[in-house]
Amino acid sequence: MKFIGYLLCLVLSTISFTSAANINFSWTVNAGPINPHQTSPNQMYAQAMVYEPLVKYSQGGKLIPWLATSWGISPDGTQYTFRLREGVKFSNGEPFNAQAVKANFEQVLMNFEKHRWLELIKKIDHVDVVDELTVNLVLKSAYYPTLQELSLVRPVRFMAPSAMPKKGHTGDGINAPVGTGPWMLDSTVLGVKDTFVRNPHYWGQTPEHEQVEVAVIADPNARALAFESGMVNLIYGLEGQISPDSFDRFRKNPSLHTGLSDPISTRLIAMNSARSATQEREVRIALNYAIDREGISKGIFYGTESPANSLFAKNVPYADVALTTYQHSRKHAEKLLDNAGWTLSEGKTYRTKQGEVLELELVYHGHDANQKAIAEVLQANFKDAGVKLILAAEERSRFYKRQKGGEFDLIFNNTWGSPYDPHSFVSGMRHPSHADYMAQAGLSNKADIDRNIDAILSSTSETERKNLYSTLLNTLHDEAVYLPITYMRITGVASKKLGKFSMGSTVFDIPFEQFQ
């Protein structure tokens, strides 16, 4: 703790916190070049501050007009016609129009290999300028999540054409981060801070605060100390921005404003249906009954994450379907294991079948303290039911290699979170590069599951889509290839000077503009 305090003082001694009129935030690293069409080192919170989408993802998965005021979809689902907002300018005064929209799409498509992870990019055929404020997006085939994926922080957000490189494409770099968003980058001090100021040409409501200063603070405990000292007046984000115990302490302080979002994503464990005892459906279901989700929620996360009994929370689009709840019940878990032939002999700790001990391995990320704590709880829960759980800590590259290669009995995994859930997450189930594919590989109905997902993504009927999702979610739940743990939530803490705030609909929509 002394070392953390020393580092904090060293960093903050170079940061000027000039006025109560400013928002003093923090992040783990610098914002990066803030290229709208690229991934790391570009930080998504900063991309969301500077660049805007055609349509915006709102609470409960609702899509609302943003840079586009309206849109129409052809009956076959292959053409999307957008009417753009009038009078919008980039932060350099350049007009936002259909030509700018087309130029941004073309830049993304020029770097196709970088973006092919996103299904929409593979579906785009071309973009036509209809008139100054109308653009037509033409797809190769129908893809229902088109609007959802246009709402993502990257790669389809819009920068000024003059800020693009004259040769090559934005994958090679940009001239400057120039967008239509409420904020623009003012200055960067590497390893210390980034400063954003208001966009003087912003088309929407002008932010109340003049600037947002973002200190680089990697450690969540150091961030909490900076908040308590008044050097930071806003903490916001998922795990890693603030520890659950620090948030619990802050929310008991009546002088502070705190908030918890609706569930954003699901923390879960994938169970391999193609190897070891997790090949057996009865074993997978028994493990779902064996875990104490409530104890994990309260004991590890201080209630900041709620118990998860299904793959997606009910607030996720298309996920509000009736499913059997796997409530914690040691007795029921034991009954299921007995019925599956895994019996516990008198005086023995672990169950056996045909001389084989019921032993499973759980792979977790060795540097993730929360995964380690959960793994230890599960080890105790499973032992109570007569299941031996071996914990295997892996460094990051080896962890993801084991996910991709199916080298696991059980392995930690998360859903992708809003606005990617459910469509992007279920889309990834069809590809062997994800733990989800490997977890489902041993199922006799895997081909049917993949065909169901294909039908969902190409559907043009809302009623049909709801029915297809219901079938998919019921199938996955019944097969029990997932062990949902908790629903992850965004936590927010603001000083009294900033005032109350509303939680964003995604983790990267930080409510800088909402403070009054």
Side-chain angles (χ1 to χ4, degrees):
M1 184 61 73
K2 288 183 179 179
F3 180 65
I4 290 173
Y6 169 75
L7 287 178
L8 178 64
C9 292
L10 185 64
V11 170
L12 296 180
S13 65
T14 61
I15 299 175
S16 60
F17 298 90
T18 56
S19 168
N22 297 332
I23 297 174
N24 297 318
F25 186 57
S26 68
W27 201 248
T28 53
V29 294
N30 280 106
I34 318 184
N35 183 333
H37 306 149
Q38 294 296 299
T39 55
S40 181
N42 301 277
Q43 298 302 299
M44 295 174 81
Y45 85 87
Q47 290 169 308
M49 293 174 73
V50 174
Y51 304 107
E52 296 182 300
L54 293 174
V55 296
K56 189 168 185 177
Y57 188 93
S58 188
Q59 296 291 344
K62 183 179 179 181
L63 295 166
I64 59 176
W66 211 250
L67 289 180
T69 57
S70 62
W71 52 87
I73 307 172
S74 65
D76 66 356
T78 63
Q79 295 191 43
Y80 288 71
T81 303
F82 296 94
R83 182 64 182 175
L84 306 181
R85 191 176 296 277
E86 293 186 43
V88 176
K89 294 182 179 180
F90 292 98
S91 59
N92 64 356
E94 197 172 328
F96 170 78
N97 52 30
Q99 289 82 4
V101 171
K102 180 179 173 67
N104 276 267
F105 271 107
E106 288 177 342
Q107 287 288 336
V108 171
L109 293 174
M110 273 190 252
N111 199 16
F112 175 80
E113 289 302 319
K114 177 76 172 181
H115 303 302
R116 65 178 302 143
W117 65 270
L118 188 64
E119 190 72 17
L120 173 61
I121 304 306
K122 294 188 285 187
K123 294 287 187 180
I124 295 174
D125 187 80
H126 65 277
V127 178
D128 292 324
V129 171
V130 179
D131 58 41
E132 188 71 7
L133 291 175
T134 309
V135 66
N136 196 33
L137 173 64
V138 182
L139 306 181
K140 298 170 185 174
S141 59
Y143 182 59
Y144 104 80
T146 294
L147 294 175
Q148 284 86 342
E149 294 192 359
L150 287 176
S151 75
L152 300 180
V153 169
R154 58 194 185 203
V156 190
R157 291 208 176 187
F158 301 93
M159 70 179 305
S162 65
M164 299 174 184
K166 291 183 179 180
K167 295 182 179 180
H169 52 72
T170 50
D172 302 320
I174 60 176
N175 299 331
V178 182
T180 64
W183 304 98
M184 59 184 191
L185 182 67
D186 181 64
S187 63
T188 292
V189 181
L190 288 178
V192 179
K193 67 174 181 177
D194 297 288
T195 303
F196 297 83
V197 296
R198 292 184 297 204
N199 173 4
H201 299 288
Y202 188 53
W203 59 271
Q205 184 175 349
T206 301
E208 181 73 19
H209 299 275
E210 295 177 2
Q211 72 175 39
V212 178
E213 193 162 82
V214 185
V216 177
I217 304 175
D219 184 84
N221 292 319
R223 185 173 294 108
L225 288 173
F227 184 86
E228 290 177 307
S229 71
M231 296 177 177
V232 168
N233 55 22
L234 173 65
I235 300 175
Y236 189 94
L238 283 177
E239 59 171 345
Q241 293 305 305
I242 186 174
S243 64
D245 57 323
S246 291
F247 179 78
D248 184 62
R249 178 162 48 86
F250 286 148
R251 69 177 167 179
K252 293 174 181 176
N253 186 337
S255 68
L256 300 176
H257 297 292
T258 60
L260 268 176
S261 73
D262 291 334
I264 291 291
S265 63
T266 308
R267 186 190 296 275
L268 54 86
I269 289 169
M271 293 190 281
N272 197 330
S273 61
R275 84 176 208 177
S276 74
T278 51
Q279 293 180 78
E280 301 177 39
R281 177 174 174 268
E282 293 83 358
V283 171
R284 298 194 300 268
I285 294 175
L287 297 180
N288 265 284
Y289 279 107
I291 69 172
D292 183 5
R293 296 174 175 88
E294 189 72 33
I296 292 171
S297 169
K298 292 179 179 178
I300 296 175
F301 296 107
Y302 293 80
T304 58
E305 296 188 12
S306 53
N309 286 295
S310 57
L311 179 58
F312 299 112
K314 298 293 187 184
N315 66 309
V316 173
Y318 305 106
D320 191 6
V321 298
L323 300 170
T324 301
T325 300
Y326 298 130
Q327 293 284 8
H328 176 49
S329 172
R330 173 181 169 179
K331 288 185 178 181
H332 197 58
E334 291 173 335
K335 182 179 179 180
L336 287 167
L337 292 171
D338 284 337
N339 292 341
W342 291 99
T343 57
L344 188 62
S345 300
E346 186 175 350
K348 298 294 184 180
T349 303
Y350 299 111
R351 295 172 176 271
T352 59
K353 181 163 68 171
Q354 298 175 354
E356 180 184 350
V357 175
L358 182 46
E359 178 179 300
L360 300 169
E361 182 185 55
L362 170 59
V363 182
Y364 70 95
H365 193 301
H367 297 294
D368 190 318
N370 288 333
Q371 286 190 11
K372 183 176 187 293
I374 293 169
E376 290 171 348
V377 172
L378 295 185
Q379 188 176 51
N381 288 163
F382 289 1
K383 184 178 180 181
D384 288 342
V387 180
K388 186 176 183 180
L389 188 64
I390 306 298
L391 306 185
E394 297 283 13
E395 52 84 25
R396 177 178 289 272
S397 61
R398 178 63 181 154
F399 176 85
Y400 289 112
K401 184 179 180 181
R402 292 189 67 169
Q403 271 197 344
K404 183 177 180 179
E407 299 175 42
F408 61 87
D409 299 333
L410 299 94
I411 195 166
F412 276 89
N413 194 24
N414 293 343
T415 67
W416 295 11
S418 58
Y420 301 94
D421 289 344
H423 66 277
S424 292
F425 185 75
V426 302
S427 177
M429 292 176 181
R430 301 170 299 166
H431 308 296
S433 58
H434 296 282
D436 309 282
Y437 179 91
M438 304 312 299
Q440 298 171 22
L443 300 178
S444 61
N445 56 351
K446 174 58 176 166
D448 293 333
I449 290 171
D450 289 353
R451 281 192 289 270
N452 191 346
I453 295 170
D454 290 340
I456 286 171
L457 297 177
S458 61
S459 64
T460 56
S461 165
E462 181 73 8
T463 300
E464 177 191 32
R465 191 178 308 134
K466 286 181 179 178
N467 290 335
L468 288 167
Y469 265 118
S470 179
T471 298
L472 174 66
L473 296 179
N474 272 282
T475 298
L476 293 174
H477 192 75
D478 290 344
E479 292 289 357
V481 288
Y482 294 104
L483 197 66
I485 306 296
T486 54
Y487 296 125
M488 302 173 73
R489 299 171 184 264
I490 303 168
T491 55
V493 185
S495 72
K496 191 173 184 180
K497 291 179 181 178
L498 285 184
K500 293 183 179 180
F501 59 93
S502 300
M503 305 302 292
S505 54
T506 76
V507 68
F508 300 106
D509 291 315
I510 301 175
F512 297 124
E513 301 83 48
Q514 294 181 14
F515 294 105
Q516 299 295 324

